Amino acid sequence: MEENLAEVDDELAVRLRRGVVDHSPDLITAFDATGTVRFVNDSGLAILGWARHEVVGRSFIDFLHPDEVERAVALATANLNRMQGPRDGAPYRLRRADGGFETLDVGVTVLDDLLVVVGRRMYDHEVMARVLDGLTSNEPFADVVALLPAFDWWRNPTEPCVLRCHGDDGDDLVVGAPLPDVLTGADPEAGSPWGQAIAASDEVVVTSLDDLPPAVVVEARARGFTGCRVRAVVDPRGHPPALITAWATEAGPPIEARSYPMATIARTLGLVLRFHRDATELRHAATHDQLTGLRNRAGFFAALPADRVGTPVTVLALDLDGFKPVNDRLGHAAGDAVLRHVAARLVEVVGPDHLTARLGGDEFVVVVVGDDDRAAAAALAARLGDAVSQPVHVAGEVVHIHASIGIAVDPGTARSIDELLAEADVALYRAKERTGTSR
């Protein structure tokens, strides 16, 4: 009886091994001690595009990228000589029939006198490569984030995965499967898996719809969902946490089996968010004055419309009178405080619709696009002068400074900003001469 059971077990083992090999989506091949390929499964042929007779009987080296040969031979030799045990996956480029190369995650083990190789397609590698390319080539933030659900999709094509975070403009950005807001954490109330994930800064797994809020249950059951997995990711840009939601159906694996792709999405999203924060801060630092927060010279020129033909422009150049004595007598910290006060007052007068910049030192500029009314420009200059002249309390003293202002107007002939600045500077120094003021 025991012998019969053993025979049955052996037959079952053979059937299972054959079934795994025949139906696996991965490349499975085997070669002998001479490096000659003795077997390759159908999936392997499909991945690389070869016919069986083009592979079996040839050296495995023929199917390697030239740069991979040395380490592949070393790995094969060590395994066939029993110098090391089964090896976890590592990326190798294998030659396709069309002449290109397919990067597979390759693991090896020894079966009798054959080296068995299993190669899995590296979709994660491809997705990550696209993400990194998008980040380094300055693709729109939304386009890069839209790539991330693919870490789950390629493993679970029937199962929805959604990512929700804040976009460039601060508005909600939702990418992935098209689901109603109630299934993506748009309103993460405390009792929902999204609220729980945010509170715990971790992952929440729901295996029974009965554990969900009623409104969520209705929508989930209508779509045949059986459970969900929610992960919260801290947004370093100061926004509420990003939310990743995976839903399970009867057609796919149980929701408990979705841990790895969710973790991969979360790690990559964290990288993308940090990169976006740092890139935004660097762009801002490159175009803005660190002291006052106004645009600097580079930011000033970058903010001006490229095509100004037919668009009138008024430029007001400002220079502070009496500022140098403040620096000399009270020190640079006091001078910096005065500059910050002046910048704030200029912005208050000009408003957000026009451009205010600090070009350097105590030199400021205001640009009004779409208006060439000299009377309006003179009135604005008067308001700016009054604002600057208000006393400033700094270093325990009351400081009085004033501004000389020059105006240049272009009715729409698209004169260069450099020309207009030069004209405004000439007008500014004439104003200084008339008032007898100096820095």
Side-chain angles (χ1 to χ4, degrees), residues 274-342:
R274 290 191 298 274
F275 186 97
H276 186 253
R277 176 201 61 190
D278 295 346
T280 300
E281 291 176 353
L282 286 172
R283 283 193 296 268
H284 187 274
T287 57
H288 287 75
D289 173 40
Q290 186 176 4
L291 177 64
T292 64
L294 299 179
R295 284 187 173 269
N296 58 21
R297 182 178 289 273
F300 165 71
F301 283 99
L304 294 170
D307 183 8
R308 294 186 295 102
V309 176
T311 302
V313 173
T314 297
V315 175
L316 296 89
L318 294 85
D319 185 281
L320 301 185
D321 302 323
F323 174 72
K324 188 174 185 299
V326 173
N327 255 345
D328 293 344
R329 189 167 61 85
L330 300 179
H332 289 290
D336 289 347
V338 169
L339 291 173
R340 285 193 291 268
H341 278 287
V342 168

Side-chain angles (χ1 to χ4, degrees), residues 394-433:
V394 62
E397 295 192 21
V398 178
V399 174
H400 294 273
I401 57 173
H402 302 278
S404 294
I405 303 176
I407 301 172
V409 175
D410 175 24
T413 61
R415 292 169 59 197
S416 74
I417 290 297
D418 284 325
E419 288 181 77
L420 293 173
L421 279 174
E423 182 180 319
D425 279 339
V426 170
L428 182 154
Y429 284 104
R430 285 176 181 165
K432 280 185 179 292
E433 292 172 356

Side-chain angles (χ1 to χ4, degrees), residues 204-223:
V204 173
V205 180
V206 178
T207 57
S208 172
L209 297 186
D210 294 335
D211 297 331
L212 298 171
V216 177
V217 172
V218 171
E219 293 290 347
R221 283 185 173 152
R223 288 163 176 77

Side-chain angles (χ1 to χ4, degrees), residues 353-406:
D353 296 334
H354 304 303
L355 177 61
T356 306
R358 179 189 176 207
L359 299 185
D362 60 352
E363 299 177 11
F364 297 83
V365 64
V366 171
V367 176
V368 178
V369 177
D371 193 348
D372 61 352
D373 186 334
R374 285 189 173 273
L380 175 59
R383 294 198 303 276
L384 292 170
D386 289 342
V388 173
S389 298
Q390 297 301 312
V392 178
H393 296 268
V394 62
E397 295 192 21
V398 178
V399 174
H400 294 273
I401 57 173
H402 302 278
S404 294
I405 303 176

